[in-house]
């Protein structure tokens, strides 16, 4: 044997890369290529920023008008697309996590469901944020989170949703 020992382990358990799919649509082949590169670089998390002011490219079965805010009909991710990306990542030791940038940066959600947004506008004319005084806002968010996790807070760890790790990122800024 060799006269030395190598110890190679990551310093941090969460080593990830964010891709901004709301502002920059990526074809599935590109996302898979990114996942391949993450595994080579010993990164283990793909953070998928799915909603912002510019678009909402993800299919929602309970709120189908959300993806009316996609850049085009060709620049959308079906739930089957996302399930395939999550599984592709899992097979390579990468956890795919989704982010919905809320309650600020909600302009894309407002396109299909204006009732969940406030009348506040920024100097650029962007509608901000989601309206916390309406039940419709909480119903939409609860439904969307249930779609991606497969359950409620009482079923954490139950791998039924699109993103079975039940780890969801929420923006929480600029409110």
């Amino acid at each position: 044997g060799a006269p030395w020992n190598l110890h190679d382990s990551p310093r941090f358990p969460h080593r990830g890369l964010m891709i901004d799919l709301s502002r920059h649509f990526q074809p599935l082949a590109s996302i898979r290529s990114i996942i391949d590169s993450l595994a080579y670089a010993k990164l283990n998390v793909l953070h998928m920023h799915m909603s912002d002011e510019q678009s909402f490219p993800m299919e929602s079965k309970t709120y189908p008008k959300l993806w009316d805010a996609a850049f085009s009909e060709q620049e959308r991710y079906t739930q089957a697309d996302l399930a395939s990306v999550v599984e592709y990542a899992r097979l390579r030791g990468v956890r795919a996590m989704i982010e919905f940038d809320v309650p600020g940066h909600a302009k894309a959600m407002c396109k299909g469901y204006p009732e969940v947004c406030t009348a506040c506008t920024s100097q650029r004319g962007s509608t901000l944020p989601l309206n916390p005084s309406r039940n419709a806002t909480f119903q939409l968010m609860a439904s969307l989170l249930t779609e991606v996790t497969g359950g409620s807070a009482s079923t954490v760890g139950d791998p039924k949703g699109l993103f079975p790790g039940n780890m969801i990122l929420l923006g929480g800024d600029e409110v």
Side-chain angles (χ1 to χ4, degrees):
W4 56 82
N5 288 325
L6 297 177
H7 298 281
D8 183 22
S9 64
R11 183 173 175 196
F12 300 104
H14 180 111
R15 303 168 315 278
L17 175 77
M18 182 187 85
I19 55 175
D20 189 345
L21 302 173
S22 175
R23 293 184 183 106
H24 307 284
F25 180 86
Q26 295 291 318
L28 294 176
S30 294
I31 295 172
R32 287 186 186 99
S33 183
I34 290 168
I35 292 167
D36 289 338
S37 68
L38 292 178
Y40 290 126
K42 298 184 182 181
L43 298 177
N44 66 348
V45 177
L46 177 66
H47 171 163
M48 301 169 74
H49 185 81
M50 194 62 69
S51 71
D52 213 299
E53 298 286 322
Q54 290 76 11
S55 77
F56 192 100
M58 185 193 107
E59 174 188 28
S60 168
K61 296 198 185 264
T62 57
Y63 283 86
K65 292 190 287 183
L66 281 171
W67 75 351
D68 286 357
F71 289 123
S72 71
E73 288 188 21
Q74 293 75 36
E75 295 172 300
R76 293 177 170 178
Y77 303 106
T78 65
Q79 289 197 1
D81 292 338
L82 294 175
S84 74
V85 165
V86 169
E87 179 62 8
Y88 188 88
R90 186 191 69 78
L91 292 172
R92 285 151 185 82
V94 174
R95 179 178 57 199
M97 297 173 68
I98 192 164
E99 177 191 355
F100 299 114
D101 200 351
V102 294
H105 302 275
K107 184 177 180 182
M109 291 179 153
C110 301
K111 182 171 184 176
Y113 297 95
E115 66 274 15
V116 302
C117 293
T118 65
C120 300
T121 57
S122 70
Q123 292 177 348
R124 296 184 327 252
S126 300
T127 305
L128 297 169
L130 292 178
N131 191 338
S133 70
R134 295 198 176 143
N135 286 337
T137 303
F138 291 94
Q139 290 165 350
L140 182 144
M141 286 308 303
S143 180
L144 193 56
L145 295 176
T146 298
E147 278 188 70
V148 296
T149 64
S152 65
S154 63
T155 59
V156 170
D158 191 6
K160 293 181 186 172
L162 287 171
F163 294 83
N166 283 350
M167 304 253 332
I168 305 296
L169 299 157
L170 300 174
D173 65 332
E174 298 178 11
V175 197

